[in-house]
Amino acid sequence: SVKTTFKEKLNEKAVDNPKNAVFNPEDFKMRYRTLVSRILEINPDCCFLWITNNDSAMRHGRGRRARYTPNKNGERVRQAMLELAEEYNGAVIDVFSLMGGLGSADKWIKAGFMQRDHIHFTRDGYQVIGHIIYNAIAEDYVKYYKDDM
C-alpha cells in the first residue's frame, strides 16, 4: 500500500492574510480534504501520516528592534490537522506538542535547534525532528510486526 505524509508549514500558506494572520480552520481542512480525495481516487487503500506544524513566532518590526510573539495560529493549525487525521484514520506525529507547545520556539532557538527567524529549524533541529519521526515509525512497526506473529 502507498503511504502519504502531510506536513504543514505554518507560514503565509497557513493563514488567509499574513498581514493580520487570520486563519480559517474550515478552509484549511477543506483544502486538505480536496488533496486527500484526489489521492484516494488513485489509491483507495492509501494510509496517511500527518505531521503537525512546529511552534513558531510572528515578527513585529525589522532589524534589531524586531520582536517576536508566539504565533497563536499554531495551536489552531495543529488542532485542524488532528481532526483531519482522525477523519481519515491516519497516524499523527505531533511536532507542535513534542517541541513544548505554544511559545516553545524560544527554547529551541536557545538550544541551537531553531533559527532566529522563529520558523525554521537549524540543521541540528531538523535532525532531532527526523530522529523523532524515524523512531516513532520504527517503534510502531515493531509493535505491528509483533502483533502479526
Side-chain angles (χ1 to χ4, degrees):
S1 81
V2 174
K3 293 178 178 34
T4 302
T5 304
F6 292 113
K7 165 81 174 90
E8 181 57 45
K9 290 171 50 175
L10 181 63
N11 56 20
E12 294 83 21
K13 293 179 182 114
V15 295
D16 297 324
N17 181 348
K19 296 216 185 257
N20 63 13
V22 173
F23 173 74
N24 183 323
E26 292 309 313
D27 287 347
F28 177 85
K29 290 189 288 188
M30 189 53 61
R31 287 193 301 266
Y32 268 102
R33 287 182 186 114
T34 300
L35 177 61
V36 168
S37 68
R38 289 179 182 164
I39 293 168
L40 290 173
E41 283 176 17
I42 296 167
N43 183 353
D45 298 324
C46 187
C47 302
F48 296 97
L49 171 61
W50 301 79
I51 302 174
T52 67
N53 53 294
N54 54 276
D55 182 48
S56 64
M58 299 184 76
R59 184 179 70 193
H60 307 279
R62 294 199 173 273
R64 292 181 180 214
R65 293 185 176 222
R67 62 182 180 80
Y68 293 85
T69 58
N71 187 344
K72 293 180 182 173
N73 285 325
E75 291 176 311
R76 297 173 73 204
V77 171
R78 174 190 168 268
Q79 185 59 43
M81 291 195 79
L82 294 176
E83 290 168 12
L84 285 164
E86 185 175 343
E87 183 177 328
Y88 291 100
N89 196 29
V92 177
I93 297 177
D94 189 353
V95 173
F96 186 85
S97 294
L98 288 169
M99 286 183 67
L102 186 66
S104 61
D106 286 332
K107 293 176 185 173
W108 281 65
I109 290 168
K110 288 176 185 163
F113 295 137
M114 192 167 227
Q115 296 180 30
R116 294 191 184 279
D117 67 1
H118 290 73
I119 296 172
H120 300 97
F121 294 109
T122 62
R123 179 184 172 123
D124 288 343
Y126 280 115
Q127 288 179 338
V128 166
I129 296 298
H131 286 297
I132 289 170
I133 292 170
Y134 173 82
N135 288 332
I137 292 170
E139 286 174 21
D140 276 359
Y141 178 77
V142 168
K143 287 178 194 173
Y144 169 79
Y145 187 72
K146 284 182 180 179
D147 289 346
D148 231 21
M149 293 182 83

